[in-house]
């Protein structure tokens, strides 16, 4: 059976250099850097497991596409993207030197300047350590936050509104633990509505990492913050990703979020510029 490799510029550039050096073998990754294998370099291309051949022309196409990841299947490549009929937006995997991010309607879903998406995730999660008990993740995305929180939490409940994002999870090698970890429960729906179905004080920690304000303004509303306060246990903490707190737009959104969080009942709200967000305490 032909296997599927997921590749980006970061995987093919070393192969093209190895070819130029006249090598017949090289180390490469069929899963965006999750693992390394030895591959053959032939005149017709690079041989991945299952006789899945990446032609040199295809390798050069990937090299010239720094904003896309590609699926290699049956020796043919295609961009790792889907059109979401739910949102009428295109979702695609965005390559980095580490874990990929996701591109939705031109918005990159993670910080990628000076930090990779996994490092970005670790900074967010670090703000509400220690993590135990039940954790709510209001926006699944590629699942990195849920995956990291589940390392110490008893259970992580994560919510996703867009089937397109779920499709990207299935294509992304770095997202596999989201599908395999029994401590992670995935729910589909609008977080604004889903959170209202939870019992009072049912989560010890909440990670609220919504899309940009322009895409999901209701997730920055006082009404939604009151629901997050309601489902958070006394002594619990909420991390709210906002963006660069020192930027013009981030400063404006932060000012409004701080005011609404405090009005919703949170006793203290602390800025965490290193994580591009704030932590609210109950």
């Amino acid at each position: 059976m032909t296997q599927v490799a997921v590749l980006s510029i970061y995987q093919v550039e070393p192969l093209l250099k190895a070819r130029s050096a006249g090598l017949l073998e090289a180390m490469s990754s069929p899963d965006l850097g999750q693992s390394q294998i030895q591959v053959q370099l032939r005149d017709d291309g690079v041989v991945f497991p299952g006789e899945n051949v990446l032609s040199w022309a295809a390798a050069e196409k990937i090299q010239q596409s720094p904003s896309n990841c590609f699926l290699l299947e049956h020796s043919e490549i295609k961009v790792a993207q889907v059109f979401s009929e739910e949102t009428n937006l295109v979702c695609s995997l965005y390559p980095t030197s580490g874990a990929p991010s996701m591109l939705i309607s031109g918005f990159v879903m993670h910080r990628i300047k000076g930090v990779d998406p996994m490092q970005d995730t670790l900074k967010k999660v670090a703000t509400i350590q220690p993590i135990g008990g039940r954790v709510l993740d209001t926006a699944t995305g590629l699942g990195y936050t849920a995956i990291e929180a589940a390392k110490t939490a008893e259970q992580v409940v994560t919510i996703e509104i867009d089937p397109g994002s779920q499709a990207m999870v299935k294509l992304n090698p770095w997202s596999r633990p989201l599908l395999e970890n029994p401590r992670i429960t995935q729910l589909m729906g609008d977080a604004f509505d889903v959170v209202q179905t939870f019992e009072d004080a049912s989560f010890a920690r909440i990670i609220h990492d919504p899309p940009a304000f322009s895409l999901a303004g209701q997730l920055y509303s006082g009404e939604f913050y009151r629901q997050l306060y309601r489902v958070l246990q006394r002594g619990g903490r909420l991390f709210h990703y906002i963006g660069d707190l020192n930027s013009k737009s981030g400063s404006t959104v932060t000012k409004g979020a701080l005011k609404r969080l405090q009005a919703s009942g949170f006793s203290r709200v602390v800025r965490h510029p290193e994580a591009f967000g704030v932590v609210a305490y109950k």
Side-chain angles (χ1 to χ4, degrees):
M1 182 176 70
T2 301
Q3 299 183 37
V4 179
V6 190
L7 308 168
S8 76
I9 184 174
Y10 296 98
Q11 285 73 54
V12 302
E13 279 195 332
L15 296 174
L16 290 167
K17 290 179 180 178
R19 183 198 187 198
S20 297
L23 301 179
L24 299 179
E25 293 180 333
M27 297 301 293
S28 187
S29 174
D31 49 16
L32 297 178
Q34 284 276 278
S35 65
Q36 293 288 320
I37 60 172
Q38 186 167 283
V39 295
Q40 291 181 308
L41 309 184
R42 302 191 314 209
D43 290 341
D44 60 338
V46 185
V47 185
F48 283 92
E51 289 296 309
N52 204 8
V53 180
L54 175 70
S55 72
W56 293 114
E60 290 170 355
K61 180 178 179 179
I62 295 174
Q63 184 189 38
Q64 295 164 9
S65 305
S67 298
N68 293 113
C69 295
F70 290 79
L71 307 177
L72 173 66
E73 185 175 15
H74 300 296
S75 300
E76 299 289 339
I77 63 168
K78 64 179 180 180
V79 178
Q81 68 177 28
V82 298
F83 174 75
S84 172
E85 295 183 357
E86 181 79 17
T87 60
N88 290 321
L89 300 175
V90 174
C91 303
S92 61
L93 289 181
Y94 186 95
T96 77
S97 59
S101 184
M102 182 163 55
L103 195 65
I104 301 179
S105 186
F107 289 90
V108 180
M109 295 293 107
H110 299 85
R111 293 164 58 192
I112 56 174
K113 292 184 178 180
V115 64
D116 68 34
M118 196 56 67
Q119 293 169 332
D120 180 34
T121 297
L122 293 176
K123 288 179 181 293
K124 296 171 186 175
V125 174
T127 65
I128 54 171
Q129 294 285 3
I131 292 179
R134 297 183 78 224
V135 176
L136 171 62
D137 172 29
T138 63
T140 308
L142 291 177
Y144 299 157
T145 299
I147 291 168
E148 184 61 28
K151 291 179 179 178
T152 56
E154 293 177 11
Q155 181 192 28
V156 176
V157 176
T158 183
I159 306 169
E160 179 56 58
I161 189 174
D162 189 1
S165 293
Q166 285 287 288
M168 288 297 97
V169 163
K170 293 176 182 177
L171 296 179
N172 180 23
W174 290 76
S175 297
R176 286 173 187 158
L178 182 74
L179 306 175
E180 299 169 354
N181 192 330
R183 292 198 301 276
I184 299 176
T185 300
Q186 299 180 69
L187 301 177
M188 291 298 296
D190 188 332
F192 188 86
D193 299 321
V194 174
V195 169
Q196 296 181 45
T197 69
F198 297 142
E199 295 181 0
D200 294 357
S202 52
F203 295 97
R205 296 287 187 271
I206 298 176
I207 302 170
H208 182 40
D209 186 4
F213 185 88
S214 60
L215 294 177
Q218 75 278 11
L219 299 185
Y220 295 77
S221 68
E223 184 178 355
F224 187 64
Y225 292 166
R226 286 191 291 274
Q227 288 295 323
L228 294 181
Y229 180 84
R230 179 183 65 80
V231 302
L232 187 63
Q233 296 172 4
R234 183 173 297 278
R237 303 174 195 173
L238 158 72
F239 172 75
H240 184 351
Y241 180 86
I242 292 174
D244 186 353
L245 305 186
N246 298 317
S247 70
K248 184 176 180 180
S249 60
S251 175
T252 301
V253 175
T254 301
K255 186 180 297 183
L258 287 171
K259 183 178 180 180
R260 290 189 295 276
L261 285 167
Q262 291 168 337
S264 299
F266 289 97
S267 61
R268 184 163 58 105
V269 184
V270 179
R271 296 169 182 261
H272 280 268
E274 81 287 355
F276 277 35
V278 300
V279 173
Y281 294 78
K282 181 174 179 179

